[in-house]
């Protein structure tokens, strides 16, 4: 069926395009407008508004002549310069460091664990249903609930201390609270990365491995030369999404350790606490910096590593195709290069 | 020699099973601890036995103590997550079908923009919206939670739905249109019924995401009667006046999670298909 379809659809497709060409652009615009309006209202407007807001200060203050100034006032980049100096600056850099540290550590751990899990699940023919179901358990538990759960485990006389026979005050301050956040985050999302990588693994045909075995490739060579390159597109997208998700980490440190704890305060928490004090200007400045940080990371990730987030490359024949419709192609193409790679590595 | 190869093949056979066992334990053990803790007597809270020695539903009763307002918060969560899901599906279905089927310029750009919007940090969206909602007096209303929730729910739903639609052969609509259907009729009478499983899966994924939302809920609402379950749980004071009533919090956690888990277990195949379609493709 799939072999026949390209030949069949191609003439039909060009015909269809020619016939509807005039109207489709407009029709598409009409059909997409509700989505675009909603996203403009709940995403684009707030981002622009945050940019504007970050240039203002709001609330009451006293000006030089002793008059009370009410309402918001344009202060230019004052909110930003304030962030980078003095005590506020220390707090900001601490939050910035925490955010970055959590992202790097958690995503690294989750990726390694997730890939290992995916390999195990891929090898195991029995019990796949059970594994799949249990992997979804951490995913489905609300982050707040899992934060409470880990807080409970990390209580002074809780399960974690009983298990390791220590008396660590986990969720107070310092390295132990950082560690507790990392453990909780890894628990919740490593299986999810495993799930995505497993889906990628399942698109690799068994013949490649057989060919590699015939050529005498060791399991490690097979993993590095075949599995990793072929699973890379799926892995990159999973890692990118986890990175962006961890950069905005909020619920977990907020509930597990608590607000205002220096060792786990992230940019999101800092901005949230400022907003709760109705200091919208500085809050918006923090939020804007976080937004730019996320944007830069996403951009660099896509540019440097070529993560194919929307599958746009699937249309181009030169790249491996990931979409269902191009599955026939996607198995063929990398096969050659991977087999060559293994062959050269072995010889 | 033959003994050795038999040994390795035994290893080969059992190693993945051991691995699978480890993964299952890794995923389920903390959750199991939550369930066990929920069914202890409040006085045994710090008991670390593996099963609740005297089994007790005291904590479950505590959760529904009127002071906690937990029952009400469950209803609020249901209203917010349910409405978000329905709105998302209505808007998202049209967009996803358009993106999957119509040929127009900037299609990939569109899809890219829509997916990108889901990556923005929630706090950057919440702060300006918070100020706006204060101005238009939306604070402490359901819409103050539902509308911002669309920012992550809508891209998520469009993405999964687009993949589902793409998997359906184009010939279906073409045949329907040859038989005299308009494109809209072809969508409604042919595609939608066939896409029902995909739509349903998307609904579950969206609902779970909305149900688990915390940042928006904690920012926009300060009135107890309208808070969602996630916000209420972490503010429990408990009835017995201890510092943190972990017993009842674990019980509440189980109550909040179990409906999701039942849905996840029943539809796990489809959910995995939906998630990986969104995440991998």
């Amino acid at each position: 069926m799939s072999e026949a379809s390209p030949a069949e659809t191609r003439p039909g497709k060009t015909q269809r395009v020619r016939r509807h060409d005039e109207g489709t652009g407009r029709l598409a615009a009409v059909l997409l407008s509700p989505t675009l309006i909603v996203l403009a209202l709940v995403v684009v407007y707030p981002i622009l508004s945050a940019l504007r807001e970050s240039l203002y200060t709001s609330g009451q203050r006293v000006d030089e002549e002793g008059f009370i100034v009410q309402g918001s006032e344009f202060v230019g980049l004052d909110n930003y310069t304030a962030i980078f100096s003095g005590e506020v600056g220390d707090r900001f850099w601490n939050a910035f460091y925490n955010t970055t540290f959590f992202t790097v550590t958690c995503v690294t751990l989750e990726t390694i664990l997730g890939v290992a899990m995916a390999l195990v699940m891929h090898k195991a023919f029995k019990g796949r249903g059970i594994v799949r179901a249990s992997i979804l358990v951490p995913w489905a538990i609300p982050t707040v609930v899992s934060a409470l759960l880990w807080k409970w485990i990390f209580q002074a006389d809780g399960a974690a201390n009983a298990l390791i026979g220590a008396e660590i005050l986990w969720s107070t301050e310092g390295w132990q609270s950082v560690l507790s956040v990392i453990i909780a985050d890894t628990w919740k999302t490593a299986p999810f990365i495993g799930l995505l990588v497993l889906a990628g693994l399942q698109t690799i045909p068994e013949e490649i491995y057989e060919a590699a075995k015939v050529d005498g490739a060791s399991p490690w060579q097979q993993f590095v030369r075949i599995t990793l390159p072929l699973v890379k597109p799926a892995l990159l997208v999973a890692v990118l999404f986890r990175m962006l998700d961890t950069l905005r980490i909020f619920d977990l440190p907020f509930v597990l350790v608590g607000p205002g704890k220096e060792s786990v305060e992230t940019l999101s928490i800092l901005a949230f606490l400022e907003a709760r004090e109705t200091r919208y200007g500085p809050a918006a400045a923090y939020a804007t910096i976080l937004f730019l940080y996320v944007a830069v990371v996403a951009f660099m990730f896509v540019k440097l590593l070529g993560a194919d987030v929307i599958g746009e490359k699937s249309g181009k024949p030169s790249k491996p195709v990931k979409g269902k419709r191009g599955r026939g192609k996607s198995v063929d193409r990398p096969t050659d290069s991977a087999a060559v790679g293994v062959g050269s590595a072995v010889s | 020699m033959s003994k050795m190869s038999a040994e390795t093949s035994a290893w080969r056979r059992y190693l993945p099973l051991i691995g699978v066992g480890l993964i299952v334990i890794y995923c389920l053990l903390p959750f199991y601890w939550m369930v066990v803790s929920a069914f202890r007597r409040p006085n045994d809270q710090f008991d670390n036995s593996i099963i609740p020695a005297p089994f007790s539903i005291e904590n479950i009763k505590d959760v529904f103590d009127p002071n906690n307002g937990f029952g009400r918060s469950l209803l609020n969560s249901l209203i917010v997550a349910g409405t978000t899901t329905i709105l998302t599906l209505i808007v998202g279905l049209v967009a996803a079908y358009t993106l999957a089927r119509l040929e127009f310029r900037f299609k990939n750009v569109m899809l890219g923009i829509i997916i990108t919007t889901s990556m923005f940090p929630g706090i950057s969206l919440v702060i300006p919206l918070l100020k706006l909602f204060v101005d238009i007096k939306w604070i402490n209303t359901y819409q103050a939670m539902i509308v911002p929730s669309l920012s992550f729910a809508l891209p998520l739903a469009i993405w999964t739905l687009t993949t589902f639609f793409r998997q359906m052969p184009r010939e279906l609509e073409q045949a329907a249109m040859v038989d005299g259907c308009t494109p809209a009729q072809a969508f409604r009478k042919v595609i939608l019924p066939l896409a029902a499983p995909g739509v349903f899966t998307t609904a579950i994924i969206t609902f779970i995401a909305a149900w688990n939302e915390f940042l928006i809920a904690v920012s926009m609402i300060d009135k107890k009667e309208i808070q969602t379950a996630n916000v209420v749980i972490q503010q429990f004071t408990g009835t017995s006046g201890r510092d943190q009533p972990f017993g009842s919090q674990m019980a509440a956690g189980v109550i909040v999670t179990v409906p999701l888990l039942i849905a996840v277990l029943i539809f796990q195949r489809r959910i995995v298909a939906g998630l990986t379609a969104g995440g991998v493709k």
Side-chain angles (χ1 to χ4, degrees), chain B residues 29-82:
Chain B
L29 199 59
F31 176 69
Y32 172 77
W33 195 246
M34 180 158 81
V35 178
V36 168
S37 309
F39 289 114
R40 284 191 214 287
R41 290 182 307 190
N43 287 336
D44 305 337
Q45 192 179 297
F46 291 101
D47 184 24
N48 278 331
S49 57
I50 301 183
I51 40 171
F55 186 87
S56 150
I57 55 162
E58 198 69 27
N59 283 324
I60 309 273
K61 279 191 206 152
D62 272 3
V63 168
F64 288 103
D65 184 277
N67 281 336
N68 284 331
F70 185 67
R72 174 79 222 189
S73 75
L74 279 178
L75 184 66
N76 291 338
S77 279
L78 197 65
I79 292 171
V80 172

Side-chain angles (χ1 to χ4, degrees), chain A residues 16 24 31 35 42-43 46 131-132 140 142 144 148-149 151-152 155 157 162 186-187 237 244 248 287 310 322, chain B residues 20 26 30 37 45-46 48 95 98 101 103 108 115 118-120 124 128 147 212 214 233 244 246 268 279 281:
Chain A
R16 215 182 65 83
T24 43
L31 293 177
T35 298
V42 297
V43 181
V131 182
R132 209 170 19 210
V144 172
L148 285 171
L149 167 59
K151 188 174 188 162
W152 170 225
Q155 268 315 91
D157 34 12
T186 308
W187 171 70
V237 173
L244 300 183
R248 59 187 170 197
I310 54 168
K322 289 179 298 162
Chain B
V20 163
Y26 174 95
S37 309
Q45 192 179 297
F46 291 101
N48 278 331
T98 311
R101 281 296 195 265
E103 299 294 335
N108 278 339
I115 294 167
S118 70
M119 300 176 187
F120 293 157
S124 321
V147 171
N212 294 355
F214 177 68
I233 286 184
Q244 192 163 3
F246 276 110
Q268 45 122 338
K281 297 292 152 56

Side-chain angles (χ1 to χ4, degrees), chain B residues 7-218:
Chain B
E7 233 167 60
T8 43
S9 74
W11 263 114
R12 284 257 157 120
R13 203 170 329 137
Y14 291 118
L15 207 56
L17 280 180
I18 295 169
V20 163
L22 285 178
I23 295 175
V24 172
I25 291 172
Y26 174 95
C27 293
L28 296 186
L29 199 59
F31 176 69
Y32 172 77
W33 195 246
M34 180 158 81
V35 178
V36 168
S37 309
F39 289 114
R40 284 191 214 287
R41 290 182 307 190
N43 287 336
D44 305 337
Q45 192 179 297
F46 291 101
D47 184 24
N48 278 331
S49 57
I50 301 183
I51 40 171
F55 186 87
S56 150
I57 55 162
E58 198 69 27
N59 283 324
I60 309 273
K61 279 191 206 152
D62 272 3
V63 168
F64 288 103
D65 184 277
N67 281 336
N68 284 331
F70 185 67
R72 174 79 222 189
S73 75
L74 279 178
L75 184 66
N76 291 338
S77 279
L78 197 65
I79 292 171
V80 172
T83 318
T84 305
T85 308
I86 292 165
L87 285 177
T88 301
L89 283 184
I90 294 171
V91 179
L93 263 174
V94 181
Y97 188 71
T98 311
L99 289 166
R101 281 296 195 265
L102 291 185
E103 299 294 335
F104 56 97
R105 275 199 296 170
F106 308 124
K107 191 164 86 165
N108 278 339
V109 178
M110 269 309 165
L111 197 54
I113 291 173
I114 290 171
I115 294 167
T116 311
T117 54
S118 70
M119 300 176 187
F120 293 157
I123 193 75
S124 321
L125 312 178
V126 161
I127 288 172
L129 288 177
L130 179 63
K131 200 170 174 242
L132 174 72
F133 291 169
V134 170
D135 288 345
I136 61 173
K137 302 212 163 27
W138 268 24
I139 297 298
N140 290 322
T141 60
Y142 289 119
Q143 63 268 31
M145 291 186 272
I146 293 165
V147 171
S149 292
L150 295 175
S151 68
F152 62 85
L154 193 53
L156 181 74
I158 289 177
W159 201 6
T160 3
L161 284 172
T162 306
T163 340
F164 277 117
F165 282 136
R166 275 188 181 158
Q167 286 167 7
M168 297 172 65
R170 265 171 203 269
E171 287 78 14
L172 285 173
E173 298 107 297
Q174 284 165 354
M177 285 191 265
V178 167
D179 288 346
C181 281
T182 65
Q185 281 174 326
F187 175 69
R188 198 159 42 87
K189 292 185 176 162
V190 180
I191 295 301
L192 215 47
L194 287 171
V199 176
F200 184 68
T201 306
T202 312
I204 295 181
I205 295 174
T206 312
F207 185 86
I208 291 179
W211 179 270
N212 294 355
E213 202 289 322
F214 177 68
L215 176 59
I216 297 169
V218 80

Side-chain angles (χ1 to χ4, degrees), chain A:
Chain A
M1 193 188 86
S2 61
E3 285 97 303
S5 63
E8 275 173 15
T9 48
R10 194 169 299 148
K13 199 174 159 189
T14 43
Q15 235 176 44
R16 215 182 65 83
V17 171
R18 203 182 303 140
R19 210 182 333 128
H20 291 293
D21 206 13
E22 304 252 306
T24 43
R26 199 173 302 158
L27 180 62
V30 171
L31 293 177
L32 285 178
S33 56
T35 298
L36 295 179
I37 291 171
V38 170
L39 290 179
L41 281 176
V42 297
V43 181
V44 181
Y45 161 77
I47 295 284
L48 294 178
S49 175
L51 272 170
R52 184 190 162 275
E53 188 66 39
S54 67
L55 304 176
Y56 283 80
T57 165
S58 53
Q60 232 178 35
R61 63 174 199 93
V62 180
D63 71 3
E64 290 110 59
E65 277 133 60
F67 290 108
I68 291 169
V69 180
Q70 184 86 45
S72 50
E73 189 194 355
F74 184 78
V75 292
L77 295 175
D78 280 8
N79 285 327
Y80 291 95
T81 48
I83 284 176
F84 295 107
S85 62
E87 225 167 273
V88 185
D90 293 344
R91 197 172 174 201
F92 164 77
W93 284 116
N94 174 57
F96 186 84
Y97 167 79
N98 286 343
T99 307
T100 312
F101 181 76
F102 278 134
T103 306
V104 172
T105 322
C106 291
V107 175
T108 309
L109 282 174
E110 287 157 18
T111 308
I112 295 170
L113 259 176
V115 170
M117 284 181 183
L119 290 173
V120 168
M121 289 185 277
H122 192 53
K123 278 274 176 289
F125 298 102
K126 278 181 196 162
R128 240 185 225 176
I130 303 169
V131 182
R132 209 170 19 210
S134 44
I135 272 185
L136 289 174
V137 169
W139 171 78
I141 294 181
T143 313
V144 172
V145 174
S146 76
L148 285 171
L149 167 59
W150 284 99
K151 188 174 188 162
W152 170 225
I153 291 175
F154 284 127
Q155 268 315 91
D157 34 12
N161 279 344
L163 211 61
I164 58 173
E167 284 177 18
I168 300 169
L169 295 172
W170 289 92
S171 47
T172 45
E173 267 283 16
W175 64 270
Q176 60 270 47
S177 56
V178 175
L179 189 61
S180 68
V181 171
I182 292 173
I183 291 174
D185 193 60
T186 308
W187 171 70
K188 189 168 164 62
T189 49
F192 188 68
I193 293 191
L195 196 67
L196 295 189
V197 175
L198 177 65
L201 282 178
Q202 284 169 341
T203 60
I204 305 176
E206 198 51 41
E207 297 89 65
I208 304 181
Y209 290 102
E210 276 158 27
K213 266 181 224 158
V214 170
D215 288 345
S218 69
W220 177 250
Q221 281 172 325
Q222 290 177 31
F223 174 70
V224 174
R225 299 268 171 175
I226 303 177
T227 311
L228 272 188
L230 288 185
V231 92
K232 193 181 141 198
L235 188 60
L236 281 184
V237 173
V239 168
L240 173 65
F241 275 48
R242 279 307 307 147
M243 273 168 59
L244 300 183
D245 221 25
T246 323
L247 282 173
R248 59 187 170 197
I249 188 167
F250 175 82
D251 317 18
L252 204 51
F254 187 85
V255 177
L256 174 53
V257 185
K261 296 285 178 73
E262 194 192 338
S263 51
V264 295
E265 186 165 77
T266 63
L267 284 174
S268 282
I269 296 181
L270 187 54
F272 171 83
L273 293 178
E274 287 289 293
R276 199 163 63 176
E277 302 292 319
T278 66
R279 287 195 292 271
Y280 294 118
Y286 288 125
T288 304
I289 290 175
L290 178 61
F291 167 73
L292 292 176
Y293 190 28
V294 166
V296 167
V297 168
F299 181 79
M300 297 219 309
F301 198 84
V302 172
K303 277 284 162 208
L304 293 179
L305 294 168
D308 184 13
V309 180
I310 54 168
E312 60 179 347
K313 285 170 190 160
S314 54
K316 296 169 193 164
S318 59
K319 290 275 175 181
V321 183
K322 289 179 298 162
K324 271 259 158 66
R325 307 172 80 219
R327 181 162 279 176
K329 262 187 248 164
S330 77
V331 243
D332 289 350
R333 290 213 162 264
T335 311
D336 310 327
S337 57
V340 169
V342 169
S344 59
V346 172
S347 64

